Amino acid sequence: MKNISLILLGCGGVGRQLLQHIISCRALHANQGLRLRVVGVADSKSLLVALDVSTMEMDDQLLHEICLIKSNGSSLASLANPGSYQLLSGLELTKKLNDIAGHLARLSGLAVVDCSASTDTVEVLKKAVEIGCSIVLANKKPLSSSMVDYDLLVSHPRHLRHESTVGAGLPIIVSINRFISSGDSISRITGSLSGTLGYVMSEVEDGKPFSVVVRTAKALGFTEPDPRDDLGGVDVARKALILARLLGNRINLDNIKIESLYPEEMGAKTMGVDKFLSDGLTSLDHDIEQRVKRASSSGNVLRYVCVIEGPRCEVGIREVPKSSPLGRLKGSDNLLEIYSCCYKAQPLVIQGAGAGNDTTAAGVLADILDIQDLFSS
């Protein structure tokens, strides 16, 4: 039996779903000769870790309990009886993570799995890479941080997996890497990489007011609590940056032209979320309606897309032919078109669910299993 030891950073929706996937796949993995050993779990404040990571792991009952308390909004520190586990915070947390990483990297291997949405994990991940650990990311922020951090994080490609940073579980990163490995030069990437904005754009196409569509999306749970976090386009820009860097572009987030769907004067610093939802959104209806009509008169529709072509990287609303793959896109699916030497006239199209905790966590789990050969039995 090959053991894959891992530490999970982040116990939000994706992190909890990953733990559930690990538990539910025990029999499947055992038949494959694998055992995923969760030796530590961290939230934003605390680290819960086995006292002896060489011989102990978190049992499934404890993993269930962690999922329960985190789904209720409590911290790991609220665990009533950690038993044979140690609860750490602050500087102790970072030191312990580094100690565990160094010990298990030498012994059998360790995967540090980042399912958070924080920039605070970057230093931990960099140290893990330097020590020789593998890192698996759903968190977009480490790979969209500075080029200095990026270069270190990707310095050992075989030890890095990050499929779920772009398009949840869709095979986007692996497909682009196959293009690169085969020498098939990619000339252009165009895609709709936000389930929220994909839903909004396809709904306004049918004549519904922008404000009504956004409020409906929020009610359905498609948006962040403050929809401006989606409408501002920064999340799409982070995904575009990861893809652009994968193609060799040495750029930062501030090099990307980002079109926000609301003006600066409606930002969080000047307008509360309730005021934005009640008044701000309505004032944007006319402009979006006119753009929809102009596009329709030319046989086009509006989509919020990323465009990567040579050194150019942009995200924003674009008109696309209604008959094109992007034009036919409906609902919250993601879609990516890749043009290359071999795919000049007709691009490679990757489409499917690009959001959701279950889909993203499944992608993370697949990434963990993809590095199993780096672990000793």
Side-chain angles (χ1 to χ4, degrees):
M1 182 74 70
K2 176 176 285 190
N3 290 313
I4 300 176
S5 300
L6 64 92
I7 289 178
L8 173 64
L9 308 179
C11 298
V14 175
R16 295 195 303 272
Q17 192 62 55
L18 174 63
L19 294 179
Q20 296 288 0
H21 279 326
I22 289 172
I23 294 167
S24 65
C25 290
R26 288 295 189 200
L28 172 66
H29 293 158
N31 287 337
Q32 297 171 346
L34 298 171
R35 172 78 183 183
L36 269 61
R37 300 177 61 246
V38 182
V39 299
V41 175
D43 60 13
S44 60
K45 296 182 177 65
S46 308
L47 167 68
L48 186 67
V49 62
L51 289 176
D52 181 0
V53 294
S54 302
T55 59
M56 297 173 59
E57 63 180 278
M58 295 181 168
D59 60 44
D60 291 351
Q61 182 178 346
L62 178 60
L63 296 181
H64 273 303
E65 189 176 351
I66 289 171
C67 291
L68 181 62
I69 66 165
K70 293 305 299 181
S71 65
N72 291 332
S74 302
S75 69
L76 289 175
S78 65
L79 275 170
N81 181 22
S84 302
Y85 306 93
Q86 193 174 9
L87 192 65
L88 302 165
S89 60
L91 294 176
E92 280 186 319
L93 184 158
T94 303
K95 184 179 184 303
K96 188 65 174 181
L97 278 173
N98 292 339
D99 289 345
I100 294 170
H103 176 67
L104 287 178
R106 291 189 300 271
L107 189 65
S108 58
L110 175 70
V112 180
V113 182
D114 186 359
C115 290
S116 73
S118 172
T119 57
D120 296 338
T121 60
V122 172
E123 293 304 316
V124 171
L125 295 169
K126 285 162 59 179
K127 188 65 176 178
V129 170
E130 289 174 344
I131 290 171
C133 299
S134 299
I135 59 173
V136 177
L137 310 176
N139 184 4
K140 294 179 285 292
K141 292 180 178 176
L143 293 182
S144 57
S145 58
S146 72
M147 279 305 307
V148 173
D149 289 343
Y150 178 85
D151 285 341
L152 198 155
L153 292 172
V154 303
S155 58
H156 299 287
R158 187 67 191 92
H159 291 254
L160 168 67
R161 290 293 180 275
H162 60 103
E163 193 67 72
S164 292
T165 58
V166 181
L170 294 176
I172 291 174
I173 304 298
V174 67
S175 297
I176 292 175
N177 278 329
R178 287 175 68 86
F179 275 88
I180 294 169
S181 298
S182 68
D184 185 9
S185 179
I186 293 174
S187 57
R188 177 184 171 95
I189 290 177
T190 305
S192 175
L193 295 175
S194 167
T196 302
L197 295 177
Y199 171 83
V200 169
M201 289 294 104
S202 63
E203 289 293 295
V204 297
E205 176 189 334
D206 295 331
K208 297 173 185 174
F210 178 70
S211 59
V212 172
V213 171
V214 173
R215 292 186 195 113
T216 302
K218 184 178 187 298
L220 292 171
F222 288 174
T223 75
E224 296 294 329
D226 185 343
R228 287 171 295 192
D229 292 342
D230 299 292
L231 301 177
V234 175
D235 185 64
V236 177
R238 289 188 183 279
K239 297 173 185 178
L241 179 58
I242 290 170
L243 298 183
R245 285 177 167 179
L246 200 58
L247 297 183
N249 291 322
R250 297 187 64 77
I251 59 174
N252 292 308
L253 197 60
D254 55 10
N255 299 125
I256 299 177
K257 182 180 178 182
I258 305 172
E259 179 183 2
S260 173
L261 298 190
Y262 63 88
E264 189 175 348
E265 57 266 25
M266 291 185 192
K269 292 181 180 179
T270 56
M271 184 180 286
V273 62
D274 291 338
K275 181 74 171 174
F276 176 73
L277 287 168
S278 61
D279 300 336
L281 274 173
T282 304
S283 69
L284 303 175
D285 284 345
H286 178 71
D287 178 62
I288 295 294
E289 181 185 5
Q290 292 305 305
R291 293 179 73 169
V292 169
K293 288 180 177 178
R294 284 197 299 271
S296 180
S297 68
S298 303
N300 296 330
V301 293
L302 300 181
R303 295 292 181 260
Y304 195 96
V305 301
C306 75
V307 179
I308 305 165
E309 190 169 19
R312 180 168 69 105
C313 186
E314 301 175 355
V315 300
I317 294 179
R318 298 289 184 274
E319 289 189 20
V320 299
K322 192 169 186 177
S323 59
S324 68
L326 276 168
R328 295 193 300 269
L329 188 65
K330 296 290 184 182
S332 59
D333 271 8
N334 281 191
L335 185 147
L336 199 76
E337 299 175 340
I338 304 176
Y339 294 84
S340 70
C341 290
C342 295
Y343 292 84
K344 281 182 180 176
Q346 295 295 328
L348 175 70
V349 177
I350 302 170
Q351 179 181 352
N357 295 334
D358 188 56
T359 307
T360 306
V364 174
L365 181 56
D367 273 353
I368 295 170
L369 298 177
D370 195 45
I371 55 171
Q372 61 181 275
D373 61 305
L374 300 176
F375 292 78
S376 57
S377 300

